[in-house]
């Protein structure tokens, strides 16, 4: 497994490397301490299997480097031209829910505060590599505390399963979209996996947000945590 770590603090890089060696017996690390170095590493082949990137590092222009990384790791590098999902995880010193919402909308699969214990970082990366999405519990609580979602997926007093309750407000295709959203798929990949256009995905997402009384992808993820396979 090839892991890219981009951060301007050497202690962070070394600490993350130390813990992530537990991911596999043959983990290979690629490092970058500036945005310029990050771009250089992203252009090299083979591409990393997962990238952990600091949101505020030398040369950063807002979150443009995060956008570039997400796009770069979706590009095809296989002989048959097939694209492969390589997740991007944001490392950050802030736990501000609005910042988390913003980068999730960019297509990242995880957001790990630098204050997280080593085991949390390891498990978060394992979750993301396995196809999941990691959002700090504090952000989930903040989203829920904001009064969303008002459609409670966990209340089963009516005797219905979660899927049955969802079926009362969502179509089967919208449930499929929600499942892929919960796995961190951006609109482009949701469209590809379901064989529909990105425009149709956006229409479905707008309908999902209205049905679940949520305002964005993070709040939808809070709802989607209760969605079984």
């Amino acid at each position: 497994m090839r892991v890219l770590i981009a951060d301007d603090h050497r202690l962070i890089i070394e600490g993350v490397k130390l813990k992530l060696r537990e991911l596999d017996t043959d983990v290979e690390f690629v490092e970058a301490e500036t945005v310029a170095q990050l771009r250089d590493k992203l252009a090299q082949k083979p591409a990393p299997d997962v990238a952990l990137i600091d949101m505020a590092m030398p040369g950063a222009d807002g979150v443009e480097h995060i956008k570039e990384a997400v796009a770069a790791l979706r590009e095809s590098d296989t002989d048959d031209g097939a694209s492969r999902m390589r997740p991007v995880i944001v490392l950050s010193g802030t736990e501000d829910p609005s910042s988390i919402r913003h980068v999730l909308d960019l297509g990242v699969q995880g957001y790990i505060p630098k204050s997280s214990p080593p085991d949390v970082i390891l498990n978060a990366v394992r979750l993301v590599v396995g196809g999941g999405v990691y959002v700090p519990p504090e952000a989930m609580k903040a989203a829920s505390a904001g009064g969303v979602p008002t459609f409670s997926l966990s209340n089963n007093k009516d005797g219905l399963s979660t899927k049955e309750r969802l079926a009362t407000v969502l179509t089967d295709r919208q449930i499929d979209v929600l499942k892929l959203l919960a796995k961190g798929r951006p609109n482009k990949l949701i469209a590809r996996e379901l064989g529909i256009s990105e425009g149709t995905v956006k229409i479905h997402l707008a309908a999902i947000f209205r049905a679940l009384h949520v305002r964005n992808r993070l709040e939808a993820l809070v709802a989607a945590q209760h969605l079984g396979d």
Side-chain angles (χ1 to χ4, degrees):
M1 177 181 291
R2 191 171 169 86
V3 179
L4 168 61
I5 304 174
D7 195 285
D8 60 322
H9 292 94
R10 175 49 54 180
L11 284 176
I12 294 291
I13 290 179
E14 294 301 329
V16 173
K17 283 171 59 178
L18 181 64
K19 193 61 185 178
L20 294 191
R21 291 188 192 281
E22 297 180 33
L23 283 172
D24 204 343
T25 55
D26 59 348
V27 177
E28 177 186 354
F29 293 103
V30 181
E31 304 170 16
E33 296 185 21
T34 67
V35 169
Q37 291 177 8
L38 171 61
R39 288 176 178 140
D40 179 62
K41 301 301 182 183
L42 289 171
Q44 296 177 4
K45 300 297 181 184
D49 296 293
V50 59
L52 290 85
I53 304 174
D54 184 12
M55 196 158 60
M57 55 191 303
D61 177 15
V63 292
E64 285 303 311
H65 64 299
I66 303 295
K67 292 181 183 179
E68 292 174 15
V70 170
L73 294 187
R74 283 198 198 124
E75 291 182 354
S76 167
D77 69 349
T78 59
D79 293 337
D80 60 3
S83 61
R84 176 179 160 216
M85 186 75 172
R86 296 179 181 80
V88 173
I89 301 171
V90 166
L91 287 172
S92 179
T94 178
E95 298 178 34
D96 175 39
S98 63
S99 297
I100 298 174
R101 283 195 296 269
H102 184 48
V103 296
L104 283 174
D105 284 340
L106 301 180
V108 305
Q109 274 68 59
Y111 189 104
I112 304 177
K114 292 182 181 180
S115 59
S116 302
D119 283 340
V120 169
I121 294 174
L122 175 63
N123 290 330
V125 174
R126 279 178 172 157
L127 173 65
V128 170
V129 169
V133 177
Y134 179 77
V135 180
E138 295 78 10
M140 289 293 194
K141 290 175 185 176
S144 295
V148 291
T150 56
F151 174 76
S152 173
L153 299 177
S154 58
N155 182 357
N156 60 2
K157 293 180 180 179
D158 52 14
L160 298 177
S161 68
T162 297
K163 187 171 182 179
E164 289 170 334
R165 297 196 73 229
L166 282 171
T168 65
V169 293
L170 301 179
T171 66
D172 288 343
R173 182 44 58 93
Q174 288 164 358
I175 291 175
D176 291 339
V177 170
L178 183 58
K179 285 183 177 181
L180 292 174
L181 180 69
K183 293 179 179 179
R185 302 293 194 269
N187 291 355
K188 184 175 182 179
L189 288 187
I190 292 176
R192 184 177 303 163
E193 292 191 34
L194 296 181
I196 57 180
S197 70
E198 284 191 67
T200 301
V201 171
K202 291 178 181 178
I203 292 172
H204 284 318
L205 286 175
I208 290 168
F209 293 170
R210 286 195 302 271
L212 300 184
H213 305 291
V214 300
R215 296 163 294 188
N216 51 53
R217 296 172 83 95
L218 175 58
E219 292 172 0
L221 280 171
V222 175
Q225 299 306 306
H226 303 284
L227 180 63
D229 292 332

